[in-house]
Amino acid sequence: MAPSSTLGASATPTPGNPFRQERTGSMRDTDDIQHLKDGLAPPSRTAKEARSLSNASMFGPRGASLANTGLGPGSFSSNLKNMNAPRHTGSRPDLSTVTSREDVTPDEIGASERRQADFRERINKELKIKTGSENLLDALLQKPSKQSKDQRFRVESELSSSNRKIAELRLQLEEEIEHSKRPSTPSQNQNRLSSLFRGSPLRSPSRVGHLSDVEHIETNPETESPTFVLAETLQALEVEGMQPDYYVSRANGLVELFKRHPTLKYDLAWSIFGLRVQTMLLSESREVVAAGYRVTRHAIADRKSLQTVRRLHTDSLVMLSLVKESKATMEREQALKFIRVFLDVKDGVKELSNAVVRTVVSVAEHPEDRLRNMAILTLTEILIKDGALVKDAGGLAPLTDALSDGTYPGSESLVSAFLYLTDTPQLRNILSSGRELEAPFSAFTDPLVAHGHEEKLKVNARSIASILNSWPGLFTLAARGFATLRSLILSLSHPEPFARDLVLDLLFDVLHIKPPSWTSSFLAGRRLTTYGRVTNIKPDQMEQQWQVESEDDANRVNLIDQYTALILAILVHCQLIKALSELIEEAVDPSLRRKTTLLLGEVLKLANYSLPNAVSSNLQVLPSLMKNPFQGIDDSSPGPPISSIIYQVDSVNRTLYRTSAAMTLAMNNKTKPENNNNSQMTAESGKPRLSIDMDEIHFRSLLVETQVVSTVNYLKWKWDLILDIIEGPLLNPKRLDEAIKATKFLKRLVGFYRPFKYRFSNARNTKPNHRYVRVGCALFRCLLQTNEGVQYLTESKLLRQLAECLAQLDKMSGLTSTSPLFAADRVSETMTRGYFTLLGTLSSDAQGLVMLARWRILNMFYRIIDLQDRADLIQLLLGNMDFSIDSHLRVMLSKALTSSPKAIRIFSTRILRKYATKEIPTNNQGTASDVAFWAIRLLVTQLYDPEVEVSEVAVHILQEACNRKPYLEYVVKCRPALDHLGEIGAPLLLRFLSTSLGYKYLDGLDYITQEMDDWFLGRNEKYVTMVEASLSRALSHESERPRSIVEEPLLREQHGTVPPHFYRELTRTMEGCRLLKDSGHFEEFASTIQRFWSEHEDTETMLKLKGCLWAVGNVGSMELGAPFLEESNVVRYIIMIAERSEVMSMRGTAFFVLGLISRSLHGMEILVEHGWDAATDQNGQSLGYCLPPSLDILFSIRPAIVVPTLAQVTLKSMPPAGDENDPTEARVVNLVIDLGNTVLTKRAIGELHSIRNQKPGLFKSVAVFRRVMFIFACHRFRLPVMRFVIDMFDKNVMRQIVLEEESDDEDESRSTTAKPVTST
């Protein structure tokens, strides 16, 4: 059971949040992580001594498999995921991973991911440079052209450079993604880092010829005999007196052999192989010891081999390696990776001894150790697999300290481990105090700690966000009446500006508040009169909002909104409104006060929407501020008057409402292409349009004011006024005729766009210059509305020259140019690309299509579609054309959908989205439906594309189109076959169940009964995993990597929303409800919930219980399915789970299910009868957010009972080791124990030195060394103390222990020494 099963362990990203932008990787420590390599560099100096090996031979099976071994054992994974976990397949074929590389080593995958991450980081950096350059250029355009000419030229050059770099990096990223999906050759499968092992070994003259044969065999892996190569390599390691890189290179050869033949390690003769390993680990060369650890961990196959390795005394050897000084970095890293192999083997953690774990704990406790972060990560993984072992070794303290001090970069991983232990009562008992998750809050609640520790606060803020975005975290913070959260909110009163600002960012983050577009302007102190502009809303935000607005609310249930409503209720319960109000009164910094005001306004808005009226009604009046609204008017208080603060909060709320209304208006206009730009430009400025019925004098004065008639320098033209004239007076045919015949206004304006004038075509492709395109599109629409305008545009040289430039792309046209207008570099760097937008405006009108046909531009479009090396032009062409009218353009799109490369097919399929999801106007239903039906037919054809990615895009668009009932019925009439798509097409088939027509169609295919049996017998449990994974990604800091560079938001899964459920779709129709009633499945689900509602031990039963809860919740969310709830009385047991279950994630599942039930009117009435309250809109419709009568009821949980483990009791009850007959030996043992006490350390060190000088033979005794190692296993010691004690013993002691060369007396002494008890 992984930590992610706790329904999310970290916070979701909020765009524009400074606390989010500063986030680093979970383990991005260059000194500790980057040095954890899988290979070793050959040493540069010789060893003093090389051990000899006895002659032996190795026997084993020949012809081992050539399969890949996958990730190297013990490899480092900062996200706490098991890299070797097997993939589980469902009952349906999952074709989403068809293009994955099955024969690529995870090492190569990791290298590819690192390169992809580097590309993305560089792209983000260039995008920031581009944004800054565009903003600077926009500011320079407001200055006189003569003063800013040089500056503008430099900024444009920098902007062009950024555009080129972005295009190159995106191309390289796409190539890297495609390369990672292609199978590699055997030579590429070799470990890249293992090449560091390759050296130039010095060969013994007697074995030069023999070793050359071995190397010859190694270079032919397809014909080699693995057992023969193994035997020869081990025999080569027998040679003594060679330099260290001789042994390192042979060890590296063994590692490569194990990678090529993974089954070879199952048949090793450990009596021979172990002897070679022991000798390498006893070498005085650090590089040889490191190579020994590396060979050993690659030879481990299962738990039995781990037991064999431990019998080679590797526990003591690993302890000796870890306590060495930091200059032995390579040896210590390989020793730690050797320990991590135990975590990769099934039940291998049970073979870890308490002594080894205590040594890792000592490394983690040493703040200056380079391996500290790696040791903390290793302890974190052990904590998940065997928490009792870490607790026995004293590992909880350093993990808690790492979580508190804010220096560990992988704080989210550490939080995930503690959240995993907190979830169930069995694991909860492992935690000593139960308050480990409160550690990150101390940095904010202590003003002395908060001052001057910005980085520490940022790390702790991310940890707190991870805690708040998980059910175990919420339940942990609910202890003692949410005292920890109250202290965090009260920390806003501390006069520490950075900490206050960070807490506000944290609240924005955990409440998932997306700052409005005018946030930066408001925080800078500007007025709020004009910030509700549509132009300030980003296109992607508009697109996303439009998608949500256009979908049926019943088909989109967002669990994140429900979870956010609960967090908001908790924060309101912890006096958040009061704390923000007091901060507004006390804040001296105007920026902090405005930020707090914005947060308060957003909180009030969110509370009014998502909380029940009984809770939110009392918040809106701001009782803490209204106590004395006239305070501050007499200027005696430092802050602004309270009445001014209240007015500012109200102003923010009104602006938020206007922004939301503007977005809604923009989305409504987005569905009307003919009015899109006009309405957008009208709403943009907030000022009235120029009148169409303007008189001649006023019109002429405006033309003169534009500077168009007075100068040909377009940089001096007033483009905003030009646009207002085009959208106003020029729509009057009389004024248009006057502009054509009586002035040079229209002639110069149209001439500006002529390609061979090289004005518009040579303008840089910058954000400010995009206004030229907007004006050009408005001009074309204006001319198309009158016959005079059509005639003028037809006879102008603009279209003629454009046709000539497009003909240069056709090799058969005979027109050539040394610098074509539509060359790739010009298209990317200049406004030449804007010509396609202008032509797209013509394509939206029937007369415009006639013009395109007259000048043979449509013929040139056909040639462009056939170009194999100009994907940029094809995308520009298809992306700007309007396909609403049945014309040749539709034929071109059909051709691109079927015969173009995959990237173009995906792009073309996405274009169909705006036509397939077009809203149906009441006054023009037939025309809109014809366009949508045409797009749906093409999308159904795309379902049979040979590339799965194309079919997946089509499925997503058809799912969105099916939100409208007429389109859903038409999709059903097309009778698409989706069996070949497997899981990808399953959601679309489920949507067919929502209508009677679709039900009959699927029933005729015998799909419904088969799918029902499939869900009842196992798909419910898989649905649980899908929902929890979706919630985890939605609540996670880390954004999911796109699968390819062409992926759009519509292809990305809507994380946090309820996936389609079979039983929910089934209950949309009366036929489905009858089938569900006859099957008896709902009664079985209800019976399971009633029998196992209190289960908290059996994992399989809890998974089945969650599956039944989601099935019942999805059925109860539909109006036709809600009566099933009343018949079974199952809601009472779901409430019991939410209020009494011992498993925190189970309570969270029940809470989400109750929210689903509250979406139906009947279900909401049942919840009200049980005392729960639901949030409703102004029409009384449920929003799907429900709360218990008291938060204490929901978050009451029995405290954990900490019971000492068997290992603890045994270790404490063991008698102390020591020989009573030798008082000096007993004194040495007691002094070692005193070293664990910092008060007695100095005296103990002095006495040990004196004893060593008097009796040096005592520190050569194996028995004394064993007793000291036993003490290390039983007690806690600091790393320098352990290093000091071990360094006092003779180095031959370890050789005697490992090779069992001690005397008879030492054997007798060893037999009387107890071994440390290993926690199991």
Side-chain angles (χ1 to χ4, degrees):
M1 188 173 181
S4 61
S5 63
T6 59
L7 296 187
S10 57
T12 182
T14 303
N17 196 334
F19 134 71
R20 184 60 56 86
Q21 293 174 356
E22 292 295 330
R23 184 181 183 275
T24 58
S26 59
M27 284 300 292
R28 196 171 291 178
D29 191 293
T30 57
D31 290 335
D32 300 334
I33 305 309
Q34 296 299 330
H35 286 87
L36 190 59
K37 301 183 291 290
D38 195 43
L40 304 174
S44 58
R45 61 182 183 273
T46 61
K48 294 182 179 180
E49 182 181 357
R51 306 295 178 184
S52 63
L53 302 177
S54 59
N55 293 328
S57 60
M58 180 68 63
F59 300 95
R62 296 178 179 267
S65 172
L66 291 176
N68 221 316
T69 59
L71 190 65
S75 293
F76 183 78
S77 175
S78 61
N79 55 8
L80 302 183
K81 294 180 181 178
N82 185 3
M83 304 299 294
N84 294 326
R87 295 183 178 180
H88 301 282
T89 57
S91 58
R92 292 177 177 269
D94 188 2
L95 299 182
S96 61
T97 58
V98 165
T99 59
S100 63
R101 297 174 64 186
E102 299 178 355
D103 57 345
V104 175
T105 63
D107 283 345
E108 286 188 333
I109 295 177
S112 177
E113 290 181 350
R114 286 192 295 272
R115 289 193 293 271
Q116 294 177 27
D118 179 63
F119 283 133
R120 292 188 178 94
E121 184 177 355
R122 292 164 62 186
I123 289 174
N124 292 334
K125 180 180 178 181
E126 293 297 332
L127 286 175
K128 293 178 181 178
I129 296 176
K130 177 183 177 182
T131 303
S133 301
E134 289 177 345
N135 294 336
L136 179 58
L137 187 60
D138 198 6
L140 292 175
L141 288 175
Q142 307 300 325
K143 299 181 179 180
S145 58
K146 292 184 178 180
Q147 298 179 8
S148 60
K149 182 178 180 180
D150 295 337
Q151 290 181 335
R152 188 167 62 249
F153 178 76
R154 289 197 297 269
V155 174
E156 289 179 349
S157 300
E158 183 65 28
L159 187 57
S160 300
S161 176
S162 297
N163 288 331
R164 285 196 302 270
K165 291 180 180 179
I166 291 172
E168 293 174 358
L169 290 173
R170 284 177 173 170
L171 180 60
Q172 294 175 8
L173 176 58
E174 179 66 17
E175 291 176 352
E176 181 62 35
I177 293 176
E178 294 296 329
H179 176 72
S180 64
K181 296 178 181 180
R182 293 196 297 266
S184 61
T185 60
S187 61
Q188 293 172 334
N189 280 334
Q190 295 180 0
N191 191 345
R192 182 172 59 90
L193 292 178
S194 66
S195 61
L196 297 176
F197 273 96
R198 302 294 183 184
S200 56
L202 298 179
R203 302 171 180 172
S204 175
S206 62
R207 299 186 55 84
V208 171
H210 191 65
L211 293 179
S212 63
D213 296 337
V214 177
E215 294 179 359
H216 176 71
I217 294 176
E218 289 179 355
T219 58
N220 294 277
E222 296 183 359
T223 59
E224 69 182 355
S225 172
T227 54
F228 175 74
V229 175
L230 178 62
E232 290 296 321
T233 306
L234 292 177
Q235 192 173 3
L237 288 173
E238 182 185 358
V239 180
E240 61 181 31
M242 306 301 293
Q243 292 187 1
D245 67 346
Y246 172 88
Y247 303 101
V248 169
S249 61
R250 266 89 190 144
N252 184 47
L254 285 178
V255 171
E256 296 299 327
L257 183 66
F258 287 136
K259 288 183 177 182
R260 293 195 301 267
H261 307 279
T263 60
L264 184 61
K265 56 188 175 183
Y266 291 96
D267 300 295
L268 281 177
W270 278 95
S271 59
I272 308 300
F273 183 81
L275 183 60
R276 306 298 188 274
V277 168
Q278 284 180 322
T279 308
M280 294 185 69
L281 295 179
L282 289 172
S283 173
E284 294 185 7
S285 172
R286 297 167 184 162
E287 291 79 7
V288 176
V289 176
Y293 283 124
R294 184 170 183 257
V295 170
T296 307
R297 63 185 176 91
H298 278 86
I300 292 175
D302 48 21
R303 185 178 179 182
K304 183 178 180 181
S305 60
L306 286 177
Q307 295 171 350
T308 304
V309 169
R310 288 194 63 196
R311 287 195 290 268
L312 301 177
H313 305 281
T314 54
D315 288 354
S316 300
L317 290 169
V318 168
M319 293 176 62
L320 262 63
S321 296
L322 288 178
V323 300
K324 288 185 178 181
E325 296 180 356
S326 58
K327 60 183 179 181
T329 302
M330 188 177 297
E331 178 182 346
R332 300 179 73 228
E333 285 180 356
Q334 291 297 324
L336 190 55
K337 293 180 74 174
F338 172 76
I339 295 174
R340 294 174 60 82
V341 175
F342 289 70
L343 306 178
D344 294 337
V345 177
K346 182 180 180 181
D347 296 331
V349 69
K350 299 183 182 300
E351 297 299 327
L352 279 175
S353 65
N354 193 276
V356 172
V357 179
R358 279 191 180 274
T359 308
V360 178
V361 171
S362 299
V363 176
E365 289 178 334
H366 195 52
E368 299 178 358
D369 198 298
R370 295 181 62 185
L371 296 182
R372 177 176 181 265
N373 288 343
M374 293 161 54
I376 291 175
L377 179 61
T378 303
L379 289 177
T380 303
E381 297 187 15
I382 299 175
L383 183 65
I384 293 177
K385 293 178 177 291
D386 191 351
L389 178 59
V390 177
K391 181 180 180 181
D392 295 343
L396 291 179
L399 293 181
T400 305
D401 293 341
L403 195 60
S404 175
D405 59 22
T407 58
Y408 178 60
S411 58
E412 291 93 336
S413 302
L414 192 53
V415 168
S416 299
F418 281 112
L419 292 174
Y420 173 68
L421 295 182
T422 311
D423 188 30
T424 58
Q426 303 94 312
L427 299 176
R428 203 178 304 144
N429 297 333
I430 295 176
L431 301 178
S432 302
S433 63
R435 299 184 180 181
E436 286 78 6
L437 289 175
E438 299 178 4
F441 292 84
S442 61
F444 293 93
T445 56
D446 188 353
L448 298 179
V449 177
H451 181 69
H453 296 83
E454 287 80 4
E455 291 301 324
K456 177 180 179 179
L457 291 176
K458 290 179 182 179
V459 174
N460 285 353
R462 293 197 298 269
S463 300
I464 294 173
S466 302
I467 295 171
L468 286 173
N469 282 311
S470 66
W471 286 110
L474 277 185
F475 280 96
T476 302
L477 299 180
R480 304 178 308 281
F482 298 97
T484 307
L485 273 180
R486 291 178 185 272
S487 65
L488 178 66
I489 294 176
L490 289 176
S491 67
L492 290 172
S493 61
H494 298 163
E496 181 60 39
F498 185 82
R500 282 177 165 180
D501 190 72
L502 201 57
V503 171
L504 293 179
D505 287 334
L506 176 63
L507 293 174
F508 271 106
D509 183 74
V510 298
L511 291 176
H512 303 95
I513 296 175
K514 195 172 185 179
S517 58
W518 43 265
T519 299
S520 58
S521 300
F522 172 67
L523 295 181
R526 301 173 188 171
R527 296 180 62 188
L528 291 176
T529 54
T530 59
Y531 296 146
R533 296 181 178 180
V534 179
T535 52
N536 289 334
I537 304 173
K538 296 181 179 180
D540 55 346
Q541 297 176 2
M542 297 173 64
E543 188 76 12
Q544 182 181 2
Q545 178 73 13
W546 173 71
Q547 180 180 354
V548 174
E549 292 289 339
S550 65
E551 289 179 348
D552 184 7
D553 290 338
N555 297 331
R556 184 67 61 179
V557 182
N558 197 327
L559 299 178
I560 300 300
D561 293 343
Q562 184 180 353
Y563 188 80
T564 303
L566 178 61
I567 293 182
L568 178 61
I570 294 173
L571 293 176
V572 169
H573 178 71
C574 296
Q575 304 298 320
L576 174 63
I577 303 297
K578 180 180 178 182
L580 294 178
S581 302
E582 294 176 352
L583 181 58
I584 294 175
E585 296 181 49
E586 301 172 359
V588 179
D589 184 9
S591 177
L592 179 63
R593 187 186 306 119
R594 285 190 289 268
K595 190 172 187 177
T596 309
T597 304
L598 177 61
L599 177 60
L600 181 59
E602 290 280 7
V603 167
L604 293 177
K605 175 185 173 183
L606 185 61
N608 183 48
Y609 173 76
S610 60
L611 295 183
N613 294 331
V615 180
S616 63
S617 58
N618 296 328
L619 303 177
Q620 305 299 327
V621 295
L622 297 176
S624 57
L625 290 178
M626 293 300 296
K627 291 180 181 179
N628 187 8
F630 301 103
Q631 176 184 346
I633 297 181
D634 56 355
D635 296 333
S636 60
S637 57
I642 301 300
S643 57
S644 174
I645 295 174
I646 296 175
Y647 171 78
Q648 194 172 26
V649 173
D650 180 66
S651 177
V652 169
N653 279 327
R654 285 186 280 108
T655 307
L656 287 172
Y657 174 77
R658 288 201 305 269
T659 304
S660 177
M663 290 183 65
T664 304
L665 177 62
M667 294 313 109
N668 293 335
N669 292 331
K670 190 175 181 64
T671 61
K672 304 174 184 178
E674 64 276 9
N675 299 331
N676 185 20
N677 290 278
N678 288 338
S679 57
Q680 179 175 343
M681 300 309 298
T682 302
E684 144 185 332
S685 60
K687 60 183 179 181
R689 290 174 50 182
L690 297 177
S691 173
I692 297 179
D693 300 326
M694 184 179 297
D695 60 89
E696 181 181 351
I697 299 177
H698 190 192
F699 177 67
R700 285 181 175 271
S701 65
L702 288 177
L703 294 184
V704 173
E705 187 178 351
T706 61
Q707 302 292 323
V708 175
V709 297
S710 59
T711 178
V712 295
N713 187 358
Y714 66 92
L715 295 177
K716 297 182 179 180
W717 295 355
K718 296 183 179 180
W719 289 95
D720 293 336
L721 181 58
I722 294 173
L723 183 61
D724 292 339
I725 292 175
I726 293 174
E727 294 182 342
L730 279 188
L731 295 178
N732 188 333
K734 186 176 181 180
R735 301 279 84 85
L736 177 61
D737 184 68
E738 182 180 350
I740 294 174
K741 298 179 179 179
T743 67
K744 296 181 180 180
F745 176 79
L746 210 57
K747 178 181 178 182
R748 286 186 175 177
L749 190 58
V750 174
F752 165 74
Y753 293 97
R754 284 167 53 183
F756 296 151
K757 288 284 189 179
Y758 295 108
R759 295 177 182 175
F760 175 76
S761 58
N762 272 5
R764 292 288 183 178
N765 181 19
T766 61
K767 184 178 179 181
N769 287 348
H770 289 176
R771 57 183 176 175
Y772 303 148
V773 180
R774 292 195 296 268
V775 172
C777 293
L779 178 62
F780 276 27
R781 282 191 298 270
C782 175
L783 295 176
L784 288 173
Q785 292 183 9
T786 61
N787 294 330
E788 294 80 1
V790 171
Q791 182 180 1
Y792 180 82
L793 186 58
T794 304
E795 296 176 353
S796 68
K797 297 180 180 180
L798 174 59
L799 295 181
R800 186 188 313 164
Q801 293 182 5
L802 270 179
E804 182 178 345
C805 294
L806 290 173
Q808 295 173 1
L809 298 172
D810 184 12
K811 298 179 181 179
M812 305 300 295
S813 65
L815 298 177
T816 59
S817 174
T818 56
S819 57
L821 184 71
F822 292 101
D825 55 342
R826 290 182 60 88
V827 170
S828 61
E829 297 178 5
T830 66
M831 293 306 300
T832 302
R833 62 193 301 117
Y835 283 119
F836 288 97
T837 308
L838 301 179
L839 294 176
T841 304
L842 293 179
S843 67
S844 62
D845 188 270
Q847 292 179 325
L849 289 172
V850 173
M851 296 183 198
L852 297 179
R854 175 183 176 182
W855 294 109
R856 304 293 190 271
I857 294 179
L858 292 179
N859 295 11
M860 297 302 104
F861 285 172
Y862 277 109
R863 299 293 187 269
I864 292 176
I865 295 296
D866 292 333
L867 294 177
Q868 299 297 325
D869 56 345
R870 295 302 304 273
D872 58 333
L873 277 183
I874 298 176
Q875 292 185 5
L876 275 176
L877 172 61
L878 297 177
N880 287 284
M881 293 300 110
D882 191 335
F883 301 95
S884 300
I885 301 177
D886 190 3
S887 63
H888 282 277
L889 295 176
R890 289 191 179 184
V891 180
M892 298 177 196
L893 182 60
S894 301
K895 185 176 182 180
L897 287 169
T898 55
S899 60
S900 297
K902 183 180 72 172
I904 301 299
R905 299 204 305 274
I906 293 177
F907 182 84
S908 305
T909 307
R910 293 203 316 264
I911 292 175
L912 294 172
R913 176 175 177 265
K914 65 179 180 180
Y915 302 102
T917 58
K918 187 184 293 291
E919 185 178 1
I920 305 177
T922 56
N923 58 349
N924 193 19
Q925 183 171 358
T927 304
S929 299
D930 292 341
V931 176
F933 293 164
W934 161 78
I936 289 174
R937 288 194 300 270
L938 291 181
L939 287 171
V940 171
T941 305
Q942 293 303 97
L943 296 176
Y944 311 108
D945 193 278
E947 293 290 344
V948 179
E949 290 88 344
V950 180
S951 302
E952 188 175 2
V953 176
V955 169
H956 279 274
I957 299 175
L958 286 175
Q959 280 184 257
E960 190 174 348
C962 288
N963 290 321
R964 306 188 187 280
K965 188 175 180 180
Y967 298 163
L968 172 59
E969 294 179 349
Y970 188 78
V971 173
V972 175
K973 290 179 181 178
C974 293
R975 305 177 66 87
L978 300 173
D979 293 342
H980 64 288
L981 294 179
E983 292 290 344
I984 296 176
L988 184 57
L989 287 175
L990 289 181
R991 296 304 307 273
F992 291 177
L993 289 174
S994 58
T995 63
S996 299
L997 180 63
Y999 181 90
K1000 295 176 181 178
Y1001 168 65
L1002 295 178
D1003 189 36
L1005 299 176
D1006 198 23
Y1007 167 83
I1008 299 178
T1009 55
Q1010 294 181 8
E1011 192 73 4
M1012 177 178 282
D1013 294 339
D1014 193 10
W1015 277 81
F1016 184 75
L1017 297 176
R1019 290 285 293 282
N1020 271 331
E1021 288 74 11
K1022 295 178 182 178
Y1023 183 86
V1024 174
T1025 305
M1026 186 188 308
V1027 173
E1028 294 185 353
S1030 176
L1031 282 169
S1032 178
R1033 286 191 290 266
L1035 294 172
S1036 174
H1037 267 120
E1038 297 184 4
S1039 59
E1040 187 181 11
R1041 243 178 231 133
R1043 286 168 293 182
S1044 66
I1045 202 71
V1046 298
E1047 188 177 50
E1048 287 291 313
L1050 66 93
L1051 288 179
R1052 301 188 185 106
E1053 183 182 356
Q1054 298 294 329
H1055 300 317
T1057 58
V1058 179
H1061 197 286
F1062 174 78
Y1063 291 101
R1064 183 176 185 222
E1065 303 299 328
L1066 190 65
T1067 51
R1068 289 181 182 272
T1069 60
M1070 293 299 298
E1071 297 89 345
C1073 291
R1074 285 195 295 268
L1075 179 62
L1076 180 61
K1077 186 177 183 64
D1078 296 339
S1079 65
H1081 288 184
F1082 190 88
E1083 290 76 9
E1084 183 65 27
F1085 296 148
S1087 176
T1088 302
I1089 295 174
Q1090 294 174 10
R1091 289 200 311 266
F1092 301 107
W1093 71 270
S1094 60
E1095 180 63 42
H1096 62 272
E1097 294 182 355
D1098 187 24
T1099 305
E1100 294 184 0
T1101 303
M1102 288 191 294
L1103 181 62
K1104 183 178 181 181
L1105 178 60
K1106 287 182 179 180
C1108 295
L1109 285 173
W1110 284 113
V1112 170
N1114 277 280
V1115 171
S1117 65
M1118 306 306 299
E1119 293 295 341
L1120 295 179
F1124 288 93
L1125 301 174
E1126 191 170 12
E1127 296 175 1
S1128 60
N1129 196 24
V1130 70
V1131 177
R1132 181 169 71 92
Y1133 291 93
I1134 299 177
I1135 294 178
M1136 290 172 62
I1137 294 175
E1139 296 178 353
R1140 304 181 191 176
S1141 177
E1142 293 293 325
V1143 183
M1144 297 178 179
S1145 60
M1146 187 67 72
R1147 285 196 181 191
T1149 302
F1151 178 79
F1152 285 135
V1153 169
L1154 291 175
L1156 283 176
I1157 293 176
S1158 69
R1159 296 184 68 85
S1160 64
L1161 180 61
H1162 199 67
M1164 185 171 62
E1165 294 175 353
I1166 296 177
L1167 288 176
V1168 172
E1169 293 176 359
H1170 287 83
W1172 283 56
D1173 197 1
T1176 58
D1177 58 10
Q1178 62 272 19
N1179 298 326
Q1181 298 293 328
S1182 174
L1183 299 173
Y1185 314 140
C1186 60
L1187 290 175
S1190 173
L1191 291 176
D1192 296 333
I1193 298 177
L1194 181 63
F1195 290 99
S1196 61
I1197 197 162
R1198 187 174 60 186
I1201 302 176
V1202 181
V1203 180
T1205 61
L1206 178 61
Q1208 287 178 311
V1209 176
T1210 306
L1211 290 174
K1212 293 179 180 179
S1213 61
M1214 282 184 179
D1219 188 358
E1220 297 179 358
N1221 298 328
D1222 187 355
T1224 307
E1225 182 179 338
R1227 181 59 181 164
V1228 170
V1229 173
N1230 292 330
L1231 289 175
V1232 172
I1233 296 176
D1234 291 342
L1235 288 175
N1237 189 335
T1238 55
V1239 178
L1240 305 176
T1241 300
K1242 187 175 181 180
R1243 179 182 60 82
I1245 290 176
E1247 291 193 28
L1248 284 174
H1249 274 298
S1250 62
I1251 293 176
R1252 189 174 187 272
N1253 293 332
Q1254 296 174 4
K1255 295 185 177 181
L1258 194 61
F1259 291 90
K1260 298 180 181 180
S1261 171
V1262 174
V1264 176
F1265 186 80
R1266 288 183 181 275
R1267 296 183 183 120
V1268 170
M1269 299 300 288
F1270 174 78
I1271 293 172
F1272 286 162
C1274 297
H1275 301 277
R1276 172 183 172 273
F1277 291 90
R1278 292 183 297 113
L1279 191 65
V1281 172
M1282 298 179 67
R1283 184 184 305 129
F1284 165 76
V1285 174
I1286 291 178
D1287 287 345
M1288 294 194 69
F1289 284 87
D1290 189 80
K1291 295 182 179 180
N1292 289 327
V1293 174
M1294 182 53 65
R1295 172 186 171 84
Q1296 295 174 18
I1297 294 176
V1298 174
L1299 300 181
E1300 299 179 356
E1301 297 177 353
E1302 57 269 350
S1303 61
D1304 296 337
D1305 293 337
E1306 290 171 341
D1307 289 337
E1308 182 179 354
S1309 175
R1310 182 183 59 185
S1311 64
T1312 60
T1313 303
K1315 289 185 64 178
V1317 176
T1318 302
S1319 171
T1320 58

